[in-house]
Amino acid sequence: MAGPRVVIIGAGVVGAALADEISARGWTEVTVVDQGPLPATGGSSSHAPGLVFQANSSKTMTELARYTVEKFCSLDVDGQPCFLQVGGLEVATTPERVTELHRRQGWLTSWGVESRIVTADECVDMHPLVDPDRILAGLHIPTDGLAKAVLAVEAQIRRATERGVTFLARHEVLDVLQADGEVTGVRTDHGDLRADIVVCCAGIWGPRIARMVGMNLPLTPLGHQLAWTGPVPALAGQTEEAVRPILRHQDADLYYRDRHDTLGIGYYGHRPMPITADEILSVDEADGMPSVLKFTEDDFADAWTETQSLLPATREAKIEEAINGLFSFTTDGLPLLGESPDVKGFWVAEAVWVTHSAGVGRAVAEWLVDGHCSSFDLHECDVNRFEPHQLAPEYVLARDCQNFVEVYDILHPLQPSGDPRPLRTSPFYARQQELGAFFLEANGWERPHWYEANAGLVEGRSIVTPNGWAARYWSPIVGAEAQATRETVAMYDMTALKRLEVSGRGAADFLERLCTGKVAKSVGSVTYTLLLDHDGGIRSDITVARLAPDLFQVGANGNLDLDWFTRHLPADGTVQVRDITPGTCCIGLWGPLARDVLQPLTDEDFSAAGLKYFRAKRAYIGSVPVTAMRLSYVGELGWELYTTADQGLKLWDTLWRAARPLGGIAAGRGAFNSLRLEKGYRSFGTDMTYEHDPYEAGVGFAVKADKEDFVGKAALERRKADVRRKLTCLTIEDPRAVVMGKEPVYDGQRAVGYVTSAAFGHTIGKGIAYAWLPAELAVAGRALHIGYFDRRVEAMVAEEPLFDPAMSRLRG
């Protein structure tokens, strides 16, 4: 036996995958417990219809699905395959869905999964039950198919058992034991099991298990309708379980699969049917599977009518079996993976469907054994990504139900989220409303994207209107605000930026250990630096301002940065980390006239010499105490001005009165994004993530190799010599061809990369797209194409930054 003692709670398709993957990596002192029988334990895996569609806007989710397909294709139980690779077919019955299929095909191409758009006739050839008069086009993914979930569980149990893993059926978990903030074991109705690590893979019961250690999982089990027809005469004689592709009719929230001469029908078009984990019956109490609820026939009526229209052969059949099966939904539609922030050794792998199960098993196994996941970028899936308001029961229920309703909807990248809103508002919110702000949400914050008060600025300017898709949640005012920022001065609400305070006599050494740059410099210094994982991948890019010998302010990217800092705190109490975001606010005052606005309001010297670029100082702006940092994310002269929330409105009004006579404006996120791309500034989570290193991402300048040590240094030195891909700036001459991100990039007919961030550069008069490309193609002047829906957009590799490469405007 090897490795620490591990108890996995749940022997469904996720728990079985984790046991298999972790034992394959040498950890064999593993026990898997489940309240139900094996291999059909009674959870979601036991009734899952098994359709595996790999298309997803998330690169990570597609890669998790792809690994699941590859692994399941290699598994069998006594000759019975665990995966039927019949392919996947998504059909369009409206022009809007045809367009959406092209976008989805672009995602698949970007993430390296074979697919193609097919004609209506080809759809009928693949799936002859489809009415040819209803179909306009389809998306075919040949590697999709049907996962035999219970067989996959059994196959992985057998493999893990051969390596020494113990599986205990009919063991109900009563408590997770802990001492001094660490897990020590699991209490079951058959006794206690000692453990150094406990992993919750309990699926729909996950929130109940997590509560045993005081952890709040933003997960809601919701009923989902699945029905089976009786024999369909047109399928008479079909001896193989499945011969046609799995089918999605997303215009009507429906999917279909073969089962010999019958069809399975899944439906998301009904009302949300949430239930709490505590309301789910135990295995012994349930009449059948506890994850199966009584079918509500009225909710299925529209689905059956539409099915008979799309698949006319079903008119000769009847619904003979039907359930409302429980599945897990989360507030952002992504899994919950990782370790509890409060109880060491308690991990979760929750809200994982069969589609991604084997991939998640591998990811969590790597994370546990190696200390990081090398196969997948998990920043989107980390259970610690949520802000406190995102764990509120009302919020969780509303957003989980919304995600159920929207599961097959055509969603724009900027589409506003639903209720509850507003949740977080800056002190400037009332003034922004008066200016006609168009708000979108960022981590719960209401963030202006443009202001209707600036509509008059559009007149006399050449503001290109992008194509219809890019023109959604957009206004020509965006272009006017961007140009006005470069001409005069603009105020940007930067309150949504995460702010952390790091203090204590050990603060400087603590940050030096975590950061790639030297941050323990003179008081008033500001440093752009990186946080790396142990494998050299980028965990975040941050700014660190030294405000006093033992006090630093960190501009972070989100709650995962706070979690990372907290996990690395020294045990001696010499360092404290505090999230100061809710009690503070920030205005970015940027533009060539920024100093003309600010200097008359203060006795402090804000000249180029008085406060140099990347320096900070405390000052009074009028009567408002601020921390001023000479930074600019838009490439213009200016400052980030921080104050407490109670003084925020006064700061806004003070700056506004001074800026207006000089032509100053309030500007929104749309202009901000355009301006930052003109300067080549990266956005963590979009342009670079855990899978990328600084040299690939073009931020190697933030690494000080002469530092004695920092987390990830050794791994980074090994990676530096082998840079095979680069984050690359592309420009697009066609002014209407504004792409949105995640589109494939082509060299000739070969897909070679994908777009991260994109916008129109209103200063340079061109579209801008950053993309990951092979290093050999990242050469200025190289002509490429971007796949945008059903067309190819000409693009050119460009030197960066596109605007003010000498940095004269920033340093003036």
Side-chain angles (χ1 to χ4, degrees):
M1 306 291 280
R5 295 170 299 182
V6 179
V7 171
I8 298 172
I9 302 173
V13 74
V14 180
L18 176 56
D20 180 36
E21 295 284 345
I22 203 170
S23 60
R25 286 162 177 77
W27 284 16
T28 54
E29 198 166 348
V30 178
T31 302
V32 184
V33 298
D34 200 291
Q35 63 180 335
L38 298 177
T41 62
S44 300
S45 302
S46 301
H47 68 72
L51 290 82
V52 175
F53 288 96
Q54 297 166 85
N56 198 293
S57 62
S58 164
K59 180 174 184 282
T60 297
M61 295 299 282
T62 296
E63 290 176 340
L64 292 170
R66 181 169 57 194
Y67 179 77
T68 300
V69 168
E70 292 169 356
K71 182 177 183 179
F72 282 9
C73 281
S74 71
L75 299 177
D76 71 89
V77 175
D78 302 330
Q80 299 180 76
C82 294
F83 195 80
L84 307 177
Q85 200 160 42
V86 292
L89 179 63
E90 301 183 14
V91 295
T93 58
T94 65
E96 293 78 13
R97 185 64 64 175
V98 174
T99 301
E100 171 69 357
L101 292 186
H102 281 285
R103 183 169 71 128
R104 296 173 67 80
Q105 198 269 337
W107 295 339
L108 288 160
T109 303
S110 291
W111 316 145
V113 177
E114 178 188 354
S115 65
R116 67 186 181 97
I117 299 295
V118 294
T119 65
D121 288 343
E122 289 175 299
C123 290
V124 175
D125 287 342
M126 294 179 191
H127 204 297
L129 298 189
V130 172
D131 182 352
D133 295 331
R134 292 289 314 279
I135 302 301
L136 301 179
L139 170 62
H140 181 233
I141 307 96
T143 52
D144 284 350
L146 283 168
K148 306 289 290 179
V150 175
L151 282 179
V153 168
E154 185 172 357
Q156 291 174 104
I157 286 176
R158 290 185 181 185
R159 285 159 48 124
T161 301
E162 289 174 358
R163 302 187 191 104
V165 174
T166 299
F167 287 82
L168 300 176
R170 295 199 173 276
H171 278 60
E172 183 180 358
V173 173
L174 304 177
D175 199 6
V176 177
L177 307 177
Q178 52 188 302
D180 300 321
E182 298 185 19
V183 298
T184 60
V186 170
R187 177 156 293 160
T188 78
D189 57 352
H190 290 274
D192 294 352
L193 300 168
R194 311 312 298 173
D196 305 301
I197 294 170
V198 174
V199 188
C200 178
C201 303
I204 53 178
W205 290 279
R208 191 172 76 190
I209 300 296
R211 277 203 313 273
M212 295 176 182
V213 298
M215 190 175 183
N216 187 1
L217 284 185
L219 180 159
T220 303
L222 281 107
H224 162 57
Q225 293 199 304
L226 175 66
W228 295 94
T229 70
V232 178
L235 303 181
Q238 181 176 319
T239 57
E240 294 182 60
E241 179 177 347
V243 296
R244 278 164 291 279
I246 55 175
L247 181 67
R248 273 209 278 212
H249 175 27
Q250 291 171 299
D251 285 321
D253 298 303
L254 286 160
Y255 63 78
Y256 305 93
R257 57 151 294 178
D258 287 11
R259 190 179 68 179
H260 302 293
D261 62 348
T262 70
L263 285 178
I265 307 167
Y267 186 44
Y268 288 105
H270 56 78
R271 60 190 170 89
M273 303 177 191
I275 188 173
T276 68
D278 294 326
E279 293 174 301
I280 304 171
L281 298 177
S282 69
V283 172
D284 292 331
E285 293 172 325
D287 182 15
M289 284 187 283
S291 61
V292 171
L293 305 182
K294 183 179 179 181
F295 183 66
T296 51
E297 189 172 352
D298 289 348
D299 290 302
F300 195 72
D302 290 343
W304 183 230
T305 299
E306 178 62 22
T307 295
Q308 292 174 309
S309 173
L310 182 76
L311 309 174
T314 59
R315 296 169 189 167
E316 301 179 65
K318 295 180 179 180
I319 300 298
E320 293 195 353
E321 306 170 52
I323 63 172
N324 286 0
L326 292 175
F327 288 97
S328 300
F329 281 78
T330 62
T331 56
D332 57 9
L334 294 166
L336 307 173
L337 312 178
E339 188 179 20
S340 161
D342 301 313
V343 179
K344 185 175 181 181
F346 184 81
W347 289 68
V348 299
E350 290 291 348
V352 181
W353 292 5
V354 173
T355 299
H356 310 102
S357 58
V360 166
R362 177 174 180 172
V364 175
E366 289 179 354
W367 201 347
L368 286 166
V369 175
D370 302 330
H372 60 85
C373 177
S374 57
S375 296
F376 310 97
D377 163 36
L378 296 181
H379 86 275
E380 294 178 314
C381 306
D382 194 312
V383 70
N384 298 295
R385 65 190 180 268
F386 300 103
E387 296 290 330
H389 74 275
Q390 294 172 317
L391 300 176
E394 178 186 357
Y395 179 94
V396 171
L397 179 60
R399 291 295 172 88
D400 289 358
C401 289
Q402 178 184 343
N403 279 326
F404 177 89
V405 170
E406 294 178 346
V407 70
Y408 279 175
D409 287 0
I410 299 172
L411 300 176
H412 191 275
L414 296 178
Q415 185 161 324
S417 54
D419 289 335
R421 280 184 69 188
L423 283 167
R424 309 174 84 183
T425 57
S426 77
F428 327 129
Y429 185 61
R431 297 292 185 263
Q432 293 165 343
Q433 288 178 305
E434 292 168 3
L435 294 172
F438 177 82
F439 292 100
L440 295 177
E441 182 190 347
N443 287 326
W445 291 100
E446 295 297 318
R447 188 166 64 183
H449 272 242
W450 69 82
Y451 295 88
E452 288 297 330
N454 294 326
L457 291 175
V458 176
E459 187 176 351
R461 297 178 183 272
S462 177
I463 308 295
V464 175
T465 300
N467 58 79
W469 184 249
R472 296 186 188 185
Y473 310 107
W474 176 90
S475 165
I477 298 171
V478 167
E481 290 179 355
Q483 292 177 359
T485 302
R486 298 246 188 260
E487 296 163 359
T488 54
V489 62
M491 293 164 53
Y492 288 83
D493 183 357
M494 301 298 291
T495 302
L497 174 71
K498 188 81 163 177
R499 292 174 291 286
L500 307 177
E501 181 183 270
V502 182
S503 60
R505 59 185 173 84
D509 291 341
F510 170 75
L511 287 169
E512 282 291 321
R513 170 70 178 146
L514 293 181
C515 296
T516 62
K518 295 180 179 179
V519 299
K521 299 184 289 191
S522 62
V523 172
S525 64
V526 183
T527 306
Y528 174 81
T529 185
L530 306 172
L531 304 176
L532 302 184
D533 212 329
H534 297 279
D535 65 347
I538 301 170
R539 285 197 64 94
S540 190
D541 64 334
I542 61 175
T543 56
V544 179
R546 192 171 200 175
L547 304 181
D550 295 337
L551 178 65
F552 296 81
Q553 181 172 311
V554 176
N557 280 298
N559 214 55
L560 290 180
D561 294 342
L562 174 60
D563 181 67
W564 185 251
F565 279 173
T566 303
R567 291 182 188 279
H568 287 83
L569 285 173
D572 59 9
T574 58
V575 184
Q576 296 80 46
V577 176
R578 186 166 67 98
D579 183 359
I580 62 172
T581 313
T584 57
C585 57
C586 179
I587 295 174
L589 182 71
W590 295 314
L593 301 184
R595 186 173 287 119
D596 298 282
V597 172
L598 195 63
Q599 189 61 75
L601 301 174
T602 180
D603 293 334
E604 292 290 333
D605 184 3
F606 277 84
S607 67
L611 186 60
K612 295 180 180 178
Y613 188 49
F614 267 83
R615 298 288 297 180
K617 70 162 61 175
R618 297 272 176 73
Y620 284 93
I621 306 303
S623 61
V624 180
V626 302
T627 299
M629 298 186 195
R630 181 83 187 277
L631 306 176
S632 173
Y633 208 50
V634 301
E636 292 291 338
L637 168 68
W639 301 267
E640 293 178 358
L641 302 171
Y642 298 89
T643 192
T644 53
D646 62 320
Q647 293 280 289
L649 186 58
K650 182 64 173 178
L651 177 61
W652 178 280
D653 289 344
T654 301
L655 293 172
W656 184 253
R657 283 193 298 269
R660 287 302 290 159
L662 299 176
I665 64 167
R669 188 71 181 182
F672 177 91
N673 196 50
S674 171
L675 296 169
R676 70 103 177 165
L677 287 176
E678 290 183 331
K679 281 299 294 178
Y681 293 148
R682 276 65 169 148
S683 174
F684 178 80
T686 302
D687 298 316
M688 54 190 185
T689 66
Y690 293 1
E691 68 175 298
H692 307 115
D693 70 48
Y695 303 108
E696 297 171 329
V699 289
F701 64 87
V703 178
K704 301 305 177 188
D706 58 345
K707 282 187 65 172
E708 182 175 340
D709 197 17
F710 53 82
V711 172
K713 181 181 180 182
L716 185 60
E717 288 176 346
R718 293 190 295 269
R719 295 175 67 155
K720 183 178 181 180
D722 189 28
V723 176
R724 300 184 182 184
R725 57 185 176 180
K726 287 187 176 181
L727 183 61
T728 307
C729 179
L730 305 176
T731 58
I732 303 167
E733 293 292 336
D734 182 351
R736 286 184 51 80
V738 177
V739 301
M740 298 290 292
K742 303 186 179 182
E743 298 88 358
V745 179
Y746 293 89
D747 179 30
Q749 296 302 309
R750 180 172 62 108
V752 293
Y754 60 91
V755 173
T756 58
S757 295
F760 190 81
H762 295 281
T763 311
I764 66 168
K766 296 180 181 180
I768 306 168
Y770 272 78
W772 280 101
L773 296 176
E776 65 272 15
L777 297 181
V779 179
R782 181 73 180 233
L784 300 167
H785 289 86
I786 298 172
Y788 190 58
F789 293 97
D790 59 347
R791 59 178 293 205
R792 298 286 178 90
V793 174
E794 294 181 359
M796 186 79 69
V797 176
E799 295 280 2
E800 57 174 333
L802 298 169
F803 177 78
D804 189 26
M807 306 281 281
S808 59
R809 296 171 75 100
L810 280 168
R811 299 180 184 276

